[in-house]
Amino acid sequence: MNRFNVRKVAVLGAGVMGAQIAAQLVNCKVPVVLFDLPAKEGPKSGIAMRAVENLKKLKPAPLGVVADAALIQTANYEEHLHLLADCDLVIEAIAERMDWKLDLYQKIAPALNPAAIVASNTSGLSITKLSAALPESIQPRFCGIHFFNPPRYMSLVELIPTPSTEPEILDQLESFVTTAVGKGVVRAKDTPNFVANRVGIAGMLATIHEAQKFGLGYDVVDDLTGKKMGRASSGTFRTADVVGLDTMAHVIKTLQDNLQDDPFYPSYATPPVLGRLIEQGALGQKSGAGFYKKVGKDILRLDPATGGYVPGGGKADPLVERILKKPAAERLKLLRESSNPQAAFLWAILRDSFHYVAVHLHDIAESARDVDFAMRWGFGMKQGPFELWQDAGWLQVAQWVQEDIAAGKALCAAPLPAWVTEGPVATAGGVHRPEGSWSAAHARFVAPSTLPVYQRQHFPETVLGSDAPAPLKAGTEEFKNEEIRVWTLDGEVLIASITAKLHLISPAVTEGLLKAVEIAEAKYKGLVIWSPDDVFSAGANLESLLPVFMKLGAKGIAPEEKKLQDAMLRIRYAQVPVVAAMRGLALGGGCELAVHCARRVAHLESYVGLVEVGVGLIPGGGGLAYIARRAAEMAVAGNAKADLLQILSDGFTSAAMAKVATSALEARQMGWLLTDDVVVPHKDELLFVATAQAKAMFDSGYRAPHKALFPVAGRNARATIVGQLVNLRDGGFASAHDFHIASLIADVVCGGDVDAGSLVDEAYLMTLERQHFCALLEHPKTQERIMGMLQTGKPVRN
């Protein structure tokens, strides 16, 4: 298959979704032009321009770096249709009005690049009907594309072909959306609301119905249907408020208008409470009130009996909480048999979901895998409905569901399809098998996609029952201790995976990293530090050092600190390239580990920074030495030695204020990633890209950097910084202990009590780090912060 080369993407419609899709494309370095109607006043592209400005203010932030808003080219349909000729992909994202979309297609058709793929971002309109409005020459290159809101953070993108869509076009688009935009793709059939919204909104309606039946408050339901149940933390009603009650009503209306023959049709009725809220203009978060209302710092919940708002905060019954921690089979049995109304409610909504997906699998998706991934990626579930069903015992759960249907307890009387209890699925004990997942439409197990793009994912997300190899049991093992595994997949690049909780760096991890470097230098082209979850490393394991501290005090910690610092330098000066494959948290010692590697390959959603001040310490693994060295290198490169303090100030501020980059792009701005480092949009491609970088660097003749002396800013610069800190302390913006810690950070990054321009090395600065770090360990205020963090997980401000 030829590579689909996307030079530029056009997004038509600068509303909430269109603008945020454009933002995600810019995050991924894809050039984009954002169109909207010509403005009646001011600049003709004013509507699109205002939408781009608004992106800078939204929370959660759609842009990895706010300044990148300037990379979105704004346009209008009156003056700029000629720009479409340069666009290889056109995403239409205007309002959910069939007539408006069809009118726009007629307008843009003559200006389109003849080879461009055209896709409609719709949450439920018929893609086939939309396609009919396009010229016949464009129809084979047209399909649906459904991003979930907010596009930066939600993994799911549904692709929906029409009968006229060429298979190669869908393959090309899936490959682009996966690797270039970083999304999880599910191919959906052209049915109302596709897969995730079809199942998810039906589930929300069932939840509202069952909550009313069992007399549960909205806050209690959200506590039950959030993290405790392995779903998104916002639960059900809070999710509805965030999405927008008018948006939810629109999706419900799509079900009502198009599914009169659905056996679940009566359950698609708009809940009276939802109708009343919309009539009152209470549309959820965007209007300030919905199922919840924030008054000052208090969150109030709607009382449906009175229509007013009352104090919220209702929680799950402790008994039900305990049940929800049980294994799946025991959990569902206990919920079903319990007389507790909360437990009975949970069994009811689970039964309803099993019933619904079984009845509709044939019509909405190619396989059960697509349904489960859609619910994971689009609705934040840890397990999709089919996975949970299979995990709990397929035939037993099916029997319970059938009994409830027969007893009239289910939402509808439709029986479970025959394939549930007879044939291959019943024999296999579920819909997911090593050979694939069950397709009701094809009456067989269907294997996952074999598109070349998925060869870049060594360990893609899998479903329960697929028996995919576990990353930390795969490959050939070279070394292992209780907190690190050193192994290889291909015999060319070594991989070090930290297995400790939160991948905290302890003496055992330090030992393993040193062993990994030794093995890599002897036998491999490079070393990649990678772990298969959303934590690169959350920092040093202070708890592991407590016994030493209790016995010997700070003097017992100093040798361990030096071992860690020496390990960082060993990694920096290794004779083969060491690549940090960063994903999720890279904080404190994790950040220090990454910056000492020869290269960083970071997932877009990486959160990087030195956060030690939160526990009353300074960075002690070479992070401050790195800040000083990088400032010197930048000053020398810019022939601006006199401005060393100015260059140094950003790094000092980041460490002293524990600033954390909230994307890999921001991490590059802050200096934790460098120009040559690579940002990867898709988390599951991280290992592939990192190993490729290590091989390429080795094959290009990689040599470790020279150990060189570099200039520091000196005592006068330190005095300048401390003077500014005094103002913060005396103004009440920093505590006395914060002032003390920041002064020590300034001392290290400026090189201590030396003249400006004095030449030092990293080991000298690390000695300063180590001395100040150990002295702080003896400070009562620091000890309060450390114990507070260990006991509560939250920083103590003192």
Side-chain angles (χ1 to χ4, degrees):
M1 185 177 70
N2 294 330
R3 181 171 177 263
F4 176 45
N5 185 28
V6 179
R7 296 166 298 166
K8 185 180 287 188
V9 176
V11 177
L12 312 181
V16 173
M17 282 301 291
Q20 292 198 59
I21 291 169
Q24 177 61 9
L25 290 166
V26 164
N27 289 338
C28 299
K29 302 306 175 194
V30 178
V32 62
V33 54
L34 180 63
F35 280 84
D36 211 297
L37 294 167
K40 294 178 180 178
E41 297 179 358
K44 281 286 182 69
S45 298
I47 295 174
M49 292 165 68
R50 285 191 292 275
V52 171
E53 281 301 305
N54 192 51
L55 288 172
K56 301 175 183 179
K57 307 168 189 173
L58 291 179
K59 298 293 180 184
L63 291 158
V65 174
V66 169
D68 281 354
L71 301 177
I72 301 175
Q73 184 179 358
T74 54
N76 67 81
Y77 303 125
E78 186 176 300
E79 297 178 308
H80 301 121
L81 285 182
H82 64 278
L83 296 176
L84 293 173
D86 295 327
C87 297
D88 300 296
L89 172 61
V90 177
I91 299 174
E92 170 270 303
I94 68 171
E96 295 282 274
R97 283 274 300 269
M98 180 73 75
D99 54 340
W100 291 359
K101 290 178 184 283
L102 298 182
D103 180 66
L104 179 60
Y105 295 172
Q106 293 295 329
K107 185 182 296 183
I108 66 168
L112 291 172
N113 177 335
I117 294 176
V118 182
S120 175
N121 182 72
T122 173
S123 61
L125 294 179
S126 169
I127 304 302
T128 302
K129 287 181 181 177
L130 290 172
S131 175
L134 288 164
E136 286 189 16
S137 60
I138 298 174
Q139 289 178 11
R141 292 180 283 107
F142 179 79
C143 66
I145 184 169
H146 182 207
F147 284 83
F148 271 62
N149 192 22
R152 173 181 166 186
Y153 301 97
M154 298 302 289
S155 178
L156 179 63
V157 169
E158 294 174 317
L159 296 184
I160 310 98
T162 75
S164 303
T165 307
E166 289 182 358
E168 184 181 11
I169 292 299
L170 218 62
D171 290 348
Q172 290 175 338
L173 187 56
E174 180 170 349
S175 299
F176 170 75
V177 170
T178 300
T179 198
V181 191
K183 298 302 173 188
V185 172
V186 165
R187 294 198 186 186
K189 296 185 179 182
D190 191 10
T191 56
N193 295 337
F194 313 128
V195 179
N197 273 346
R198 176 72 173 272
V199 175
I201 295 299
M204 291 176 78
L205 287 169
T207 300
I208 294 171
H209 170 80
E210 303 289 2
Q212 184 177 1
K213 176 180 170 183
F214 288 98
L216 303 181
Y218 303 134
D219 46 357
V220 172
V221 170
D222 280 352
D223 194 48
L224 286 167
T225 60
K227 285 188 174 180
K228 291 182 175 68
M229 202 175 172
R231 297 184 176 183
S233 59
S234 51
T236 301
F237 295 100
R238 177 63 183 151
T239 296
D241 274 359
V242 171
V243 169
L245 303 190
D246 53 341
T247 302
M248 183 177 174
H250 171 79
V251 178
I252 292 170
K253 191 172 187 305
T254 302
L255 298 175
Q256 295 167 350
D257 291 346
N258 297 282
L259 295 171
Q260 288 89 347
D261 296 332
D262 189 323
F264 285 81
Y265 183 76
S267 70
Y268 300 151
T270 303
V273 64
L274 180 63
R276 286 195 299 271
L277 287 169
I278 292 172
E279 284 176 14
Q280 296 164 9
L283 306 179
Q285 183 173 274
K286 59 188 170 186
S287 68
F291 289 107
Y292 295 94
K293 182 178 181 180
K294 189 173 183 181
V295 179
K297 294 184 178 180
D298 297 325
I299 304 294
L300 307 181
R301 68 164 175 84
L302 180 69
D303 179 356
T306 65
Y309 289 87
V310 298
K315 297 291 183 182
D317 187 308
L319 168 68
V320 178
E321 277 198 71
R322 290 194 294 273
I323 291 175
L324 289 175
K325 294 176 181 178
K326 303 284 186 182
E330 186 180 357
R331 184 193 329 150
L332 266 61
K333 184 176 187 294
L334 290 170
L335 291 174
R336 185 170 189 267
E337 294 176 352
S338 176
S339 59
N340 183 298
Q342 293 185 14
F345 158 77
L346 289 177
W347 162 251
I349 64 172
L350 289 171
R351 174 204 63 219
D352 295 341
S353 71
F354 300 150
H355 189 191
Y356 193 87
V357 294
V359 168
H360 291 100
L361 176 59
H362 181 281
D363 300 319
I364 65 174
E366 276 296 298
S367 75
R369 178 179 53 251
D370 292 331
V371 173
D372 281 343
F373 278 156
M375 298 313 294
R376 276 206 224 164
W377 297 337
F379 278 78
M381 294 184 174
K382 285 188 177 178
Q383 283 185 309
F386 283 117
E387 285 183 290
L388 176 56
W389 184 349
Q390 183 166 329
D391 196 17
W394 183 265
L395 290 177
Q396 176 62 78
V397 173
Q399 180 184 331
W400 289 338
V401 173
Q402 285 178 316
E403 289 173 0
D404 279 12
I405 295 170
K409 296 179 181 179
L411 288 177
C412 82
L416 291 175
W419 60 260
V420 171
T421 54
E422 302 170 8
V425 170
T427 302
V431 291
H432 300 306
R433 298 287 300 153
E435 64 267 30
S437 296
W438 183 254
S439 169
H442 299 292
R444 60 181 172 83
F445 291 100
V446 175
S449 172
T450 57
L451 283 178
V453 68
Y454 294 115
Q455 302 309 306
R456 296 169 60 88
Q457 299 181 9
H458 289 309
F459 300 101
E461 280 196 57
T462 58
V463 286
L464 179 86
S466 64
D467 290 349
L472 296 182
K473 294 182 179 178
T476 303
E477 195 169 282
E478 287 275 11
F479 171 83
K480 184 178 182 180
N481 65 23
E482 65 272 21
E483 294 191 353
I484 197 167
R485 180 179 189 245
V486 180
W487 55 291
T488 182
L489 264 179
D490 59 7
E492 292 187 275
V493 174
L494 196 63
I495 303 166
S497 298
I498 303 172
T499 57
K501 182 181 178 181
L502 294 176
H503 306 162
L504 296 175
I505 300 172
S506 65
V509 171
T510 303
E511 174 205 1
L513 290 172
L514 288 170
K515 186 70 175 176
V517 172
E518 178 187 328
I519 296 169
E521 287 180 332
K523 300 170 57 178
Y524 291 91
K525 290 185 173 183
L527 170 65
V528 169
I529 303 172
W530 171 86
S531 298
D533 57 26
D534 284 325
V535 182
F536 175 71
S537 171
N541 189 340
L542 296 176
E543 196 169 6
S544 70
L545 297 174
L546 271 181
V548 176
F549 181 75
M550 297 300 290
K551 183 178 181 181
L552 300 172
K555 67 181 180 182
I557 300 298
E560 296 300 328
E561 268 300 288
K562 187 170 191 310
K563 287 179 186 176
L564 175 63
Q565 293 173 333
D566 289 346
M568 296 297 180
L569 293 179
R570 180 77 175 90
I571 286 167
R572 171 164 164 74
Y573 294 107
Q575 295 305 302
V576 292
V578 181
V579 178
M582 304 162 64
R583 170 180 162 195
L585 302 179
L587 304 177
C591 175
E592 291 172 312
L593 176 58
V595 299
H596 282 91
C597 291
R599 182 156 295 170
R600 286 137 297 278
V601 175
H603 179 231
L604 181 63
E605 297 303 325
S606 294
Y607 303 86
V608 190
L610 298 175
V611 295
E612 284 82 357
V613 297
V615 289
L617 293 168
I618 69 168
L624 300 182
Y626 168 81
I627 289 171
R629 175 175 60 78
R630 281 293 300 151
E633 289 169 351
M634 292 168 67
V636 171
N639 296 313
K641 296 181 184 179
D643 294 326
L644 183 55
L645 173 58
Q646 183 179 346
I647 297 171
L648 190 66
S649 63
D650 286 345
F652 163 77
T653 302
S654 295
M657 297 183 65
K659 289 177 66 176
V660 175
T662 55
S663 71
L665 305 179
E666 190 177 7
R668 178 174 277 146
Q669 270 195 335
M670 293 172 65
W672 307 129
L673 268 65
L674 305 182
T675 305
D676 290 341
D677 293 335
V678 182
V679 176
V680 177
H682 200 295
K683 62 183 177 57
D684 291 338
E685 293 188 2
L686 195 61
L687 181 58
F688 173 87
V689 176
T691 52
Q693 287 286 312
K695 290 176 191 176
M697 292 171 74
F698 181 88
D699 291 340
S700 299
Y702 175 81
R703 300 292 299 176
H706 287 291
K707 294 182 180 180
L709 300 176
F710 50 87
V712 289
R715 65 175 69 88
N716 290 341
R718 180 188 63 187
T720 300
I721 294 174
V722 171
Q724 295 168 344
L725 293 173
V726 167
N727 293 333
L728 289 174
R729 181 196 62 193
D730 293 349
F733 298 104
S735 70
H737 196 48
D738 287 329
F739 168 80
H740 177 55
I741 297 167
S743 299
L744 297 181
I745 291 173
D747 187 60
V748 178
V749 298
C750 292
D753 189 19
V754 297
D755 294 333
S758 295
L759 297 178
V760 303
D761 62 10
E762 291 154 305
Y764 165 79
L765 292 173
M766 285 181 173
T767 299
L768 284 179
E769 268 187 7
R770 190 166 64 251
Q771 290 171 350
H772 292 326
F773 182 94
C774 291
L776 280 169
L777 282 173
E778 302 279 13
H779 199 294
K781 294 286 188 183
T782 287
Q783 292 174 5
E784 283 179 25
R785 291 191 183 188
I786 291 173
M787 293 311 298
M789 180 64 74
L790 292 177
Q791 290 169 2
T792 69
K794 297 178 181 179
V796 173
R797 288 298 170 206
N798 54 10

